[in-house]
Amino acid sequence: MPFPVRVGDKWTAKILVCLRDGPRRFSELQVPLARVTPKVLTESLRAMERDGMITRTVYDEMPPRVEYELTPLGHTLFEPLAASCAWNAEHGEAVARAREEHAQRV
Amino acid sequence: MPFPVRVGDKWTAKILVCLRDGPRRFSELQVPLARVTPKVLTESLRAMERDGMITRTVYDEMPPRVEYELTPLGHTLFEPLAASCAWNAEHGEAVARAREEHAQRV
DNA sequence: CTGAATCCAACCCGATACTG
DNA sequence: CAGTATCGGGTTGGATTCAG
């Protein structure tokens, strides 16, 4: 099942935001994404690379440096992402209320 | 963690589409959503009801009849949903190509 | 610094059978 | 008709440890 692109998982959307303004190193991503383990971060990044959303560039230095950067295709994801954020901003409160009322009735 | 609304799961978006043009019965949903088991369909519907996306109305008849209908809040989900569909229509092919090229390199 | 390896818990989803 | 009960597999994400 190739589609759709996994932006609904736990970290992809946040990685997108972190890469919005330019390339970032692995350790630079771990800072804003607090509590993401390296294993999971790597998995997410590899999946995004496989889908053409980001590029992974290894600089042969010591100590090692690896940079991740959004592709043009990756940047296009901000459009649907913005729509989802706008929905949350506009209706998130209503959902919270619905959940509380539902909890009351039970 | 109350947010965000689970529209990224397997069935919620499809249920939304099925309810778009009016209320539907449980068995009417099972037809277009082929291969959804009653257990999973029930789980999805209950979650959507809890979040205020749909209403569940039981008619005390024989045989029993239950109708699900989108709330005004539920209808607002079509906006971000449409943005995601538009992205897929526009860039889905590019993702498929990226995956094939990636598979080649491995 | 940038991961890889291993193990494990939780969750999501499905198959099957059964009920008011 | 509209579910519930039970069981189990597959995937996801996290903790921990180790390596180049």
Side-chain angles (χ1 to χ4, degrees), chain A residues 81-95 97, chain B residues 3-4 73 80:
Chain A
L81 188 58
S84 291
C85 292
W87 188 92
N88 250 16
E90 197 167 349
H91 304 288
E93 198 93 6
V95 176
R97 265 183 274 114
Chain B
F3 290 105
L73 180 59

Side-chain angles (χ1 to χ4, degrees), chain B residues 26 30 36-46:
Chain B
F26 191 85
Q30 285 186 297
V36 64
T37 62
K39 176 200 166 217
V40 173
L41 179 56
T42 299
E43 285 171 354
S44 299
L45 289 170
R46 294 288 149 86

Side-chain angles (χ1 to χ4, degrees), chain A residues 14-79:
Chain A
K14 295 169 185 176
I15 292 171
L16 280 174
V17 173
C18 290
L19 294 178
R20 173 154 220 168
D21 297 326
R24 292 286 181 269
R25 307 177 56 169
F26 191 85
S27 53
E28 290 177 322
L29 290 171
Q30 285 188 295
V31 176
L33 305 177
R35 279 182 304 279
V36 65
T37 62
K39 177 202 165 216
V40 173
L41 179 55
T42 299
E43 286 171 353
S44 299
L45 289 169
R46 293 291 150 84
M48 294 170 76
E49 186 192 7
R50 174 178 56 89
D51 289 348
M53 300 298 125
I54 61 176
T55 58
R56 177 173 178 269
T57 309
V58 182
Y59 296 92
D60 201 353
E61 305 172 352
M62 201 52 191
R65 181 164 62 101
V66 179
E67 283 195 344
Y68 297 90
E69 184 171 16
L70 281 183
T71 61
L73 181 58
H75 272 286
T76 65
L77 274 176
F78 283 109
E79 197 154 351

Side-chain angles (χ1 to χ4, degrees), chain A residues 1-6 8 49-53 73 76-77 79-80 83-84 87-88 91-96 98-99 102, chain B residues 1-6 8 49-53 73 76-77 79-80 83-84 87-88 91-96 98-99 102:
Chain A
M1 68 273 240
F3 288 105
V5 172
R6 298 294 316 182
E49 186 192 7
R50 174 178 56 89
D51 289 348
M53 300 298 125
L73 181 58
T76 65
L77 274 176
E79 197 154 351
S84 291
W87 188 92
N88 250 16
H91 304 288
E93 198 93 6
V95 176
R99 287 188 184 180
H102 183 87
Chain B
M1 69 266 244
F3 290 105
V5 172
R6 300 295 318 183
E49 186 191 9
R50 175 178 56 90
D51 289 348
M53 302 296 125
L73 180 59
T76 66
L77 273 177
E79 198 155 351
S84 292
W87 188 92
N88 250 17
H91 303 288
E93 198 93 5
V95 176
R99 287 189 183 178
H102 183 86

